[in-house]
């Protein structure tokens, strides 16, 4: 029986990823249950520890307790390690250790890496892993230094370094955990342009994806970008600018958020809230006090999420670009979806539609379950479900009041959102053989 189960788990890369993430989350939960992990030295319940471990590994940022005041230094380092492994990917970390030990990377491991990094082929994967590790550590180090400089103004140098390292890793990996100790995210730094700029830069760079980062770093040598990089950069920029503009307009007169602030502060807050929906998870305003129109618009942005191969979730910016391209092509009576003068294969369009419908179904299912188990408004529940699935971590205040069934639902949504709905389907579904025949073509009326 055990041999049969082992064969099933290792039969495909998606199943190995499923097993790996599950093992890491359970290990993290056990460590966070230990009395030494909390400030009070009281053991945390298994469900609460599992929730926190899932949120950290899936780089979401939804929390049941304030991270800074509830968990001890040991608990902080456990959470930080889970964020790092979950953000970069456990297979990437495993490959790093294998390379350090000068061990050869097998074909099976390359296939798992291909699935983990969402690549189309196994060519150049080991080189990409080296770049992923280098870029991640370099950007985290830069972020830690910049954060430390700012935090050193408010606290002793040792504590400033500690906070700088924690927030750099958390924000770059789009995890959203913070050590402010007030449960208010970055609201206390809402007018601090320096800290806002550093945080937005880390969120955006972490959400671009490592393939895009490699293209950006190699631009001086190659003098050109791939189609993937062009789409990610253009769509990300458009979503951030449009998002900031919409939030700025909707909240301009809202005295509970930015209505009473000066123009520059309003603009800065609007941009930060737009950027953080990319999967950042930290906020400089109270999300629960935003207007309903703003909250619903942020749900849309969270659902789109970050980019493929990044630390963020959602359906991804490239999927959104393909969907928009397909709609425009249909409206113009064209057969091909064209982006930057390059035609996309029909397979890409079908996959984008499939991913989107899968994600809509998962968010709606999670929302219906939460609407049954939780006593809250529908918009608050939809916001929470989308934030969990998109691994964003923003909350309207529902997380801390979840029932047991609600916590388990959010855990499942975070896990599916990080692993990816298609990866989960391939992992749990039966192995499909090659079709030996095709059915005759039929016609139905659309629209």
């Amino acid at each position: 029986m055990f041999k049969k189960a082992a064969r099933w788990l290792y039969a495909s890369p998606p199943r190995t990823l499923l097993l790996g993430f599950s093992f890491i989350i359970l290990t993290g939960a056990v460590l966070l249950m230990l009395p030494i992990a909390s400030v009070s030295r009281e053991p945390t319940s298994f469900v609460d520890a599992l929730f926190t471990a899932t949120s950290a590994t899936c780089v979401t940022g939804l929390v049941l307790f304030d991270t800074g005041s509830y968990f001890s230094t040991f608990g902080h380092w456990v959470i930080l390690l889970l964020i790092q492994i979950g953000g970069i990917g456990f297979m990437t970390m495993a490959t790093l250790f294998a390379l350090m030990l000068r061990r050869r990377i097998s074909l099976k491991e390359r296939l798992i890496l291909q699935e983990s990094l969402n690549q189309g082929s196994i060519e150049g994967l080991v080189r990409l892993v080296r770049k992923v590790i280098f870029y991640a550590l370099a950007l985290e180090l830069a972020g830690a230094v910049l954060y430390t400089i700012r935090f050193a103004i408010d606290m002793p140098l040792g504590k400033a370094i500690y906070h700088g390292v924690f927030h750099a890793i958390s924000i770059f990996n789009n995890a959203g955990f913070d050590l402010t100790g007030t449960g208010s995210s970055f609201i206390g730094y809402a007018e601090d342009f320096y800290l806002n700029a550093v945080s937005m830069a880390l969120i955006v760079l972490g959400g671009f994806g490592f393939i895009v980062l490699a293209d950006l770093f190699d631009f001086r040598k190659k003098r050109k970008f791939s189609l993937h990089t062009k789409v990610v950069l253009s769509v990300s920029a458009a979503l951030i600018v449009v998002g900031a503009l919409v939030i700025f307009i909707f909240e301009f007169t809202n005295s509970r958020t930015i209505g009473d602030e000066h123009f520059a502060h309003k603009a800065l807050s609007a941009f930060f809230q737009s950027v953080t929906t990319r999967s950042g998870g930290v906020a400089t305003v109270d999300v629960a006090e935003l207007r309903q129109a703003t909250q619903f618009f942020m749900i849309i942005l969270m659902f789109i999420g970050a980019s493929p191969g990044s630390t963020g979730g959602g359906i991804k910016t490239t999927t959104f670009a393909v969907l928009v391209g397909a709609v425009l092509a249909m409206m113009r009576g064209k057969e091909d979806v064209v982006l930057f003068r390059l035609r996309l294969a029909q397979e890409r369009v079908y996959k984008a539609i499939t991913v989107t419908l899968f994600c809509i179904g998962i968010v709606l299912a999670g929302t219906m379950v939460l609407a049954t188990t939780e006593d809250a408004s529908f918009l608050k529940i939809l916001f929470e479900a989308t934030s969990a699935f998109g691994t964003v971590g923003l909350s309207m205040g529902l997380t801390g009041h979840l029932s047991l069934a609600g916590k388990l639902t959010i855990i499942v949504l975070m896990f599916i959102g990080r692993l990816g709905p298609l990866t989960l389907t391939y992992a749990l579904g039966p192995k499909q053989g090659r079709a030996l025949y095709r059915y005759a073509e039929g016609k139905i009326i659309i629209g």
Side-chain angles (χ1 to χ4, degrees), residues 278-298:
R278 301 263 59 75
S279 199
V282 288
T284 56
V285 299
D286 187 349
V287 177
E289 296 296 336
L290 295 169
R291 290 197 167 112
Q292 289 188 352
T294 308
Q295 292 166 346
F296 186 74
F297 181 71
M298 290 177 73

Side-chain angles (χ1 to χ4, degrees), residues 12 18 21 71 103 107 111 184 290 292 298 334 357 371 378 394 404 419 424:
S12 67
L18 175 66
F21 269 106
F71 290 103
R103 188 175 66 82
L107 177 61
L111 290 172
S184 60
L290 295 169
Q292 289 188 352
M298 290 177 73
K334 306 289 185 180
L357 291 178
F378 177 76
L394 295 175
L404 175 60
L419 197 63
L424 188 66

Side-chain angles (χ1 to χ4, degrees), residues 53-88:
T54 305
S55 183
T57 307
C58 298
V59 289
T60 305
L62 291 174
V63 293
L64 300 172
F65 320 104
D66 179 69
T67 307
S69 58
Y70 181 86
F71 290 103
S72 65
T73 302
F74 175 81
H76 292 162
W77 282 108
V78 171
I79 291 172
L80 204 61
L81 184 61
L82 293 175
I83 290 172
Q84 189 72 86
I85 295 174
I88 296 180

